[in-house]
Amino acid sequence: MIDQLSDKYLRATECIDCDHPEVVAFTERVAGGERADMDRAVALYYAVRDEFRYDPYRVNLTPEGMRASTLLQNRYGFCIPKAVLLAASARVFHIPSRLGFADVKNHLATDRLLQMMQTDLFVFHGYAELFLDNRWVKATPAFNRTLCDRFDVKPLEFDGRHDSLLQQFNRKGDRYMEYVRDRGLYADLPLDEIVTAFHGYYPTLMAAAGYEVSGDFEAEAEGRA
């Protein structure tokens, strides 16, 4: 089946710009020394997870703002651009990739973010799926290790064989993340759908200038656990 579908899961798109020189260079630096697709995918996952700080305050919902290459330049991003970079990096090595989305409830979001969003529902939470060892495997590189430490949550691991999904509980056993709706899988970023959903669910946040709000999410997370 993958032979019939692989082209759309391997080609460059406007946002999954796996042909961009910086994306290629990043991919080669991180995993060029690995020979097996599984090892390459794991190396890429940890690089995307930890080299780029999770930041929900600076969001640019334009094609340029959501590109994998833009995340490389900014060094920060929220869950969707980080999933886009992982998908793009996998395609550099001809590992089929796609994007998955779900609505999740975040029970440990900071007070400031909850006030801005006016809800604890995060719509279109993004993750990547990689085709490894003849099966699709979910990989969620959203939260970097230092942020997880601030929330007292175990960093999400990925071995290339098992799905890597958001943690349901923190280290104390308190509820952390809850999946409430599956929004499907896509070969390319469904940006129009995401923008429409964000305007519907977060009118106050989207009214902020450019949806870019100054702040340090990691610092605000201190003491939340």
Side-chain angles (χ1 to χ4, degrees):
M1 185 176 182
I2 189 62
D3 290 336
Q4 300 173 9
L5 301 176
S6 60
D7 181 62
K8 69 178 181 179
Y9 296 124
L10 288 170
R11 71 168 71 109
T13 70
E14 184 171 19
C15 291
I16 307 178
D17 52 347
C18 54
D19 56 349
H20 192 283
E22 291 188 27
V23 176
V24 174
F26 166 77
T27 302
E28 291 291 345
R29 174 179 65 80
V30 169
E34 305 290 348
R35 301 186 63 181
D37 283 349
M38 189 83 68
D39 296 332
R40 288 172 169 174
V42 170
L44 291 170
Y45 170 84
Y46 284 106
V48 174
R49 189 193 76 177
D50 291 332
E51 290 188 19
F52 305 90
R53 182 165 51 88
Y54 176 80
D55 188 342
Y57 290 142
R58 291 182 286 180
V59 175
N60 182 347
L61 294 176
T62 66
E64 180 180 1
M66 301 293 278
R67 289 173 188 151
S69 56
T70 300
L71 179 63
L72 286 172
Q73 295 162 9
N74 290 340
R75 311 303 297 180
Y76 63 80
F78 69 119
C79 60
I80 298 176
K82 294 187 75 170
V84 168
L85 177 57
L86 181 55
S89 299
R91 293 184 187 188
V92 172
F93 284 130
H94 303 288
I95 299 172
S97 66
R98 59 192 183 188
L99 300 172
F101 297 93
D103 294 352
V104 300
K105 282 199 171 185
N106 185 346
H107 296 272
L108 287 178
T110 64
D111 293 336
R112 182 172 182 234
L113 184 59
L114 290 174
Q115 184 177 8
M116 291 168 56
M117 295 175 59
Q118 299 185 338
T119 177
D120 64 352
L121 183 68
F122 286 64
V123 299
F124 272 94
H125 157 69
Y127 59 91
E129 278 200 351
L130 309 180
F131 195 77
L132 299 167
D133 197 20
N134 292 313
R135 62 183 293 266
W136 288 103
V137 185
K138 294 178 173 61
T140 307
F143 300 137
N144 47 291
R145 176 176 291 276
T146 55
L147 180 64
C148 289
D149 289 342
R150 298 275 181 122
F151 275 115
D152 197 22
V153 174
K154 185 178 179 181
L156 197 59
E157 309 294 346
F158 179 66
D159 63 5
R161 295 178 175 82
H162 302 91
D163 287 339
S164 174
L165 296 172
L166 289 174
Q167 306 93 323
Q168 295 185 48
F169 303 95
N170 66 8
R171 288 190 174 103
K172 296 178 181 178
D174 300 324
R175 173 72 73 175
Y176 180 50
M177 286 286 187
E178 179 183 358
Y179 285 86
V180 297
R181 178 183 177 184
D182 181 8
R183 286 189 177 264
L185 298 161
Y186 298 79
D188 194 10
L189 182 68
L191 188 53
D192 289 344
E193 293 182 41
I194 293 169
V195 171
T196 298
F198 275 37
H199 276 289
Y201 282 89
Y202 314 127
T204 301
L205 189 59
M206 294 298 288
Y211 186 9
E212 291 198 10
V213 184
S214 62
D216 187 333
F217 187 68
E218 284 195 18
E220 291 173 15
E222 190 73 59
R224 286 286 300 170

